[in-house]
């Protein structure tokens, strides 16, 4: 049980601990929790974090958040208008608009009428997704870090660890990948790894000798990363008290889990700001477009922001391959696994892994939240 004298000062952390669970966006059938129709004012803490991590002024950060809310709505309408000619989309922070790629034969007038900028490309999203699915079936050598569909490049991007492109197994993999469709090879400095950690202090949750971070609250518990624990494993909170158990977990292939909450713990629709920023309310789980700003909360490095770089990425961890992750420019470190990714007030996903750190920089991947909700029949706790 928690010490009575600590209740007042620890209440915020306690509530949030059973709160931040993120989700995954694998299947198109996983419905977004709808965003609020009336625009909420940008939280000052979120704006200040964007100023710090994205180099924006206050006015620029607020304007970008407003433009991204509009782009999220435009993206859905433009995809419907493009139909089979849809080839992906991305948010352009420079002009604050959404660009939608389409193939020949598209009703470009109807797509533009949604408010999107149109770009004509050769390959449809369906063709690119089919090429990536074929690559997903190939055995990948360790030096192939990840791959994903890049709508702006109109190709499947394959990231190879620097200095290994000439390796025989890498060359063989790339040759087979190119036979599936358009492939663009890029270099990456590091191989990805998951971000769990041994037991240390902070405000996390623990299972065995592993420390991870809570993602988002759902009714009855919270969601987090799958590599943090197996079904049936006990979970303990920041103060060592029993929280609940892993009710479901999947890793590799996926990287998601959910933990039931009891024993005096409860859930609230909040992502912890760690004193760096104010705590953030969660109002839905509408998926942010590529190029949108996004922030992450975790028990090691606390609060950091960046942008969405790619959706539907495949990541080749040493423990196995994980599919349909979202790639970001946000940094993270061991112990941040499972933590919340949020865009504005919309839950995006839970931290899976990455490379680098928050001193010199790096990249991360998250499991989209909506697939987690769909997989386990959970309901996101929203404000």
């Amino acid at each position: 049980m928690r010490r009575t004298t600590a209740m007042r000062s620890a209440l915020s952390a306690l509530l949030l601990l059973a709160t931040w669970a993120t989700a995954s966006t694998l299947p198109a059938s996983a419905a977004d929790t709808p965003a609020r129709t009336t625009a909420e004012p940008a939280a000052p803490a979120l704006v200040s974090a964007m100023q710090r991590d994205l180099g924006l002024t206050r006015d620029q950060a607020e304007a970008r958040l407003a433009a991204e809310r509009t782009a999220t709505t435009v993206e859905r309408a433009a995809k419907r208008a493009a139909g089979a000619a849809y080839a992906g989309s991305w948010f352009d922070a420079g002009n604050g608009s959404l660009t939608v790629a389409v193939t020949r034969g598209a009703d470009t007038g109807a797509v533009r009428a949604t408010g999107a900028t149109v770009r004509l490309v050769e390959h449809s999203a369906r063709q690119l997704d089919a090429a990536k699915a074929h690559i997903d079936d190939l055995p990948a050598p360790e030096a192939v870090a990840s791959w994903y569909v890049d709508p702006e490049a109109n190709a499947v991007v394959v990231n190879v660890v620097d200095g290994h492109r000439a390796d025989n197994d890498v060359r063989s993999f790339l040759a087979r990948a190119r036979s599936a469709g358009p492939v663009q090879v890029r270099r990456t400095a590091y191989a990805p790894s998951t971000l769990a950690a041994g037991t240390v202090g902070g405000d996390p949750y623990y299972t065995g000798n592993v420390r991870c971070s809570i993602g988002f609250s759902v009714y009855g518990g919270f969601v987090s990363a799958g590599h943090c624990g197996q079904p049936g494993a006990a979970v303990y909170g920041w103060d060592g008290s029993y929280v609940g158990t892993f009710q479901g977990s999947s890793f590799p292939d996926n990287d998601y889990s959910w933990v039931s909450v009891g024993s005096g713990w409860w859930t609230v629709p909040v992502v912890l700001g760690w004193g760096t920023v104010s705590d953030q309310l969660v109002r839905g789980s509408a998926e942010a477009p590529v190029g949108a700003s996004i922030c992450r909360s975790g028990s090691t490095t606390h609060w950091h922001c960046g942008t969405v770089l790619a959706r539907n990425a495949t990541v080749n961890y040493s423990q196995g391959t994980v599919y349909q992750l979202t790639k970001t420019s946000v940094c993270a470190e061991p112990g941040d696994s499972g933590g919340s990714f949020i865009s504005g007030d919309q839950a995006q996903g839970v931290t899976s892994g990455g490379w680098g750190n928050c001193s010199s920089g790096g990249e991360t991947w998250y499991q989209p939240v909506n697939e987690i909700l769909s997989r386990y029949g959970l309901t996101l706790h929203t404000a």
Side-chain angles (χ1 to χ4, degrees):
M1 295 296 292
R2 301 167 191 79
R3 296 192 303 272
T4 302
T5 56
M7 282 295 290
R8 184 176 299 275
S9 62
L11 181 58
S12 175
L14 182 63
L15 292 172
L16 296 168
L17 194 61
T19 304
W20 348 297
T22 57
S24 354
T25 55
L26 288 177
S29 59
D32 289 352
T33 301
R36 292 232 175 151
T37 54
T38 56
E40 298 286 341
L46 176 59
V47 172
S48 64
M50 292 175 67
Q51 289 178 251
R52 181 197 65 194
D53 292 341
L54 298 179
L56 304 175
T57 66
R58 178 185 180 86
D59 288 346
Q60 287 172 334
E62 291 178 339
R64 177 163 177 165
L65 287 169
E68 288 172 356
R69 284 193 295 267
T70 299
T72 298
T73 302
V74 169
E75 183 179 42
R76 295 170 181 162
K79 186 174 182 178
R80 289 193 297 268
Y86 179 73
S89 59
W90 59 93
F91 178 76
D92 186 337
N95 58 29
S97 66
L98 187 78
T99 298
V100 175
V102 297
T103 56
R104 294 188 183 280
D107 186 345
T108 56
V111 178
R112 288 193 179 93
T114 67
T117 300
V118 176
R119 178 182 294 183
L120 189 65
V121 296
E122 183 177 355
H123 307 285
S124 70
R126 187 173 301 173
Q127 291 172 319
L128 295 174
D129 288 343
K132 181 184 174 293
H134 177 81
I135 298 172
D136 284 345
D137 290 334
L138 302 177
E142 289 186 10
V144 176
S146 63
W147 54 96
Y148 55 88
V149 171
D150 184 336
E152 192 167 3
N154 197 227
V156 180
V157 170
V158 178
N159 291 300
V160 176
V161 177
D162 202 13
H164 290 273
R165 185 167 177 175
D167 293 358
N168 288 336
D169 54 354
V170 172
R171 293 171 63 185
S172 177
F173 177 87
L174 293 176
R176 296 176 67 186
R178 288 190 175 97
S179 70
V183 165
Q184 185 178 111
V185 181
R186 296 178 186 170
R187 298 184 301 173
T188 182
Y190 303 99
S193 62
T194 55
L195 297 167
T199 302
V200 296
D203 195 6
Y205 74 89
Y206 302 88
T207 178
N209 65 345
V210 171
R211 173 171 62 85
C212 281
S213 302
I214 293 170
F216 295 95
S217 287
V218 296
Y219 287 97
F222 65 84
V223 296
S224 189
H227 68 266
C228 291
Q230 296 296 314
V235 172
Y236 298 89
W238 62 273
D239 61 350
S241 67
Y242 176 75
V243 175
T245 59
F246 281 92
Q247 297 297 315
S249 179
S250 177
F251 179 79
D253 193 21
N254 305 294
D255 195 4
Y256 52 63
S257 63
W258 88 276
V259 174
S260 62
V261 165
S263 303
W265 292 76
W266 62 95
T267 67
V268 291
V270 175
V271 170
L272 189 61
W274 291 98
T276 303
V277 298
S278 61
D279 298 344
Q280 304 293 299
L281 289 174
V282 177
R283 301 186 186 277
S285 60
E287 186 179 37
V290 171
S293 62
I294 193 166
C295 298
R296 178 193 55 73
S297 180
S299 63
T300 298
T301 58
H302 299 173
W303 186 271
H304 288 275
C305 298
T307 57
V308 177
L309 298 178
R311 294 175 179 169
N312 193 22
T314 300
V315 180
N316 190 29
Y317 294 126
S318 61
Q319 302 96 324
T321 303
V322 178
Y323 305 94
Q324 292 179 286
L325 298 179
T326 298
K327 183 181 182 181
T328 83
S329 65
V330 186
C331 67
E333 295 179 12
D336 287 327
S337 277
S340 322
F341 269 92
I342 187 167
S343 181
D345 56 11
Q346 300 295 304
Q348 299 298 309
V350 298
T351 305
S352 173
W355 62 266
N357 56 53
C358 289
S359 296
S360 58
E363 294 177 333
T364 46
W365 290 266
Y366 67 79
Q367 178 83 62
V369 71
N370 288 315
E371 195 232 346
I372 304 174
L373 303 178
S374 177
R375 169 64 179 83
Y376 295 119
L378 302 170
T379 299
L380 186 68
H381 194 166
T382 57

